Amino acid sequence: MFSTAVSLGLTYVAGRAAWRGGKRLIGWVRNQRLLPGSAQNPSQEAQDVVVEQVGWESDRGTPRRPEGAEGPRVRKTQQRPSYTRLNIDDTLTADQVIRVLRRLQGNQVLGTRAVAVIDTLNSADMRLESLLTELDATFQRGSISWEKFATPSYGAYDAILRNSALLANRMQTFDTAGYLRLRDTMGSAWRNGDEHTQAREERWRLFKQTLTSFDEIQETDENLLLELDKLAAEVASIAASGSDAADDSALEEIRRLIEEAKYYR
């Protein structure tokens, strides 16, 4: 019994010594693997990263602004409507032209022009309808007198419609952003003798010529509408008096304006 107890004690002591020796060996090996220099702090847990939102919702997919959030907004760039070319043929309608022009109503440069064209189209549509009603009530449809007034009336309306479609097509291709940039910077560039002055002068001149051409076409349409009004008044006068005598000046002016409109195409 005594010898057995002694053997167990020696075994325990030897095992404990071996365990301590192994622990020291592992510590020595670990110290040898450390890089030289200052002691390295134990790694810390990653902290939350706050990502600042630089912009809010826009038409091109910028993140949506959270409700109640504060901060600077990204300046939105006016989105350019896609180009829709109107075919100027016998199938063209006023509604087709107006749909395109309505997309330009908010344009900083062309907005008032687009509204003016829409108003002219609507007025021409109303004027032609009322004029034909008066003609049907005054003359027999298809008669010489009826044709005398109906043919130029249709021609005037057709010229207004085609000119409006032409304007809608050309307005869609106008570089509004480029025009505004040039308009805002041309003063300082001219004074400072910028090296690109000549090219910019030519581009500015082209912009102005384009806008002038828009206004000239619109003026022709407004004159055609005016002559249609005169023609309607003439038909009403004939209906009231019962006379076939008519002042042909309005008819001649309509024919002249229709011919003038052909030069724009």
Side-chain angles (χ1 to χ4, degrees), residues 27-244:
W28 179 83
V29 172
R30 183 178 296 169
N31 290 333
Q32 293 299 315
R33 290 181 177 179
L34 290 176
L35 294 174
S38 60
Q40 300 179 3
N41 295 327
S43 59
Q44 299 179 352
E45 294 183 2
Q47 298 179 352
D48 292 337
V49 178
V50 179
V51 180
E52 293 186 359
Q53 193 171 8
V54 297
W56 310 122
E57 184 180 13
S58 72
D59 295 332
R60 300 195 177 186
T62 307
R64 184 182 297 274
R65 177 186 177 124
E67 185 175 356
E70 296 182 358
R73 293 177 179 269
V74 174
R75 182 181 179 184
K76 290 184 180 181
T77 302
Q78 187 176 5
Q79 207 171 19
R80 186 184 187 89
S82 58
Y83 178 75
T84 301
R85 187 181 187 280
L86 294 167
N87 294 320
I88 306 176
D89 53 24
D90 294 336
T91 64
L92 182 68
T93 65
D95 288 339
Q96 292 174 330
V97 180
I98 290 174
R99 278 198 297 269
V100 172
L101 288 169
R102 279 177 178 161
R103 290 155 46 191
L104 297 171
Q105 286 179 310
N107 188 286
Q108 191 171 346
V109 178
L110 304 175
T112 56
R113 291 177 170 89
V115 171
V117 177
I118 291 173
D119 289 345
T120 301
L121 266 176
N122 286 329
S123 296
D125 192 63
M126 181 273 295
R127 174 53 63 206
L128 179 64
E129 182 180 1
S130 61
L131 181 56
L132 292 177
T133 301
E134 287 295 327
L135 282 176
D136 288 340
T138 306
F139 307 107
Q140 183 179 355
R141 179 176 284 266
S143 66
I144 296 177
S145 296
W146 188 93
E147 291 287 349
K148 177 182 180 180
F149 292 99
T151 299
S153 299
Y154 278 119
Y157 179 83
D158 184 66
I160 292 174
L161 178 60
R162 289 172 178 267
N163 284 347
S164 299
L166 181 65
L167 281 172
N169 285 341
R170 292 184 180 178
M171 283 182 181
Q172 289 181 90
T173 64
F174 186 81
D175 184 6
T176 300
Y179 172 83
L180 292 174
R181 283 195 302 270
L182 190 56
R183 187 191 66 180
D184 292 342
T185 61
M186 61 179 293
S188 59
W190 263 236
R191 289 192 300 270
N192 296 334
D194 189 88
E195 60 181 350
H196 301 297
T197 295
Q198 184 175 358
R200 296 170 85 176
E201 281 182 344
E202 185 61 30
R203 191 160 184 246
W204 179 251
R205 188 178 299 111
L206 181 60
F207 274 131
K208 299 297 287 183
Q209 288 175 352
T210 301
L211 291 176
T212 299
S213 71
F214 293 166
D215 295 338
E216 289 176 349
I217 296 174
Q218 175 60 15
E219 184 179 3
T220 297
D221 284 352
E222 290 176 354
N223 285 331
L224 281 166
L225 183 60
L226 174 61
E227 296 307 318
L228 280 177
D229 289 338
K230 292 180 180 179
L231 199 60
E234 188 69 25
V235 172
S237 176
I238 293 174
S241 64
S243 171
D244 289 340

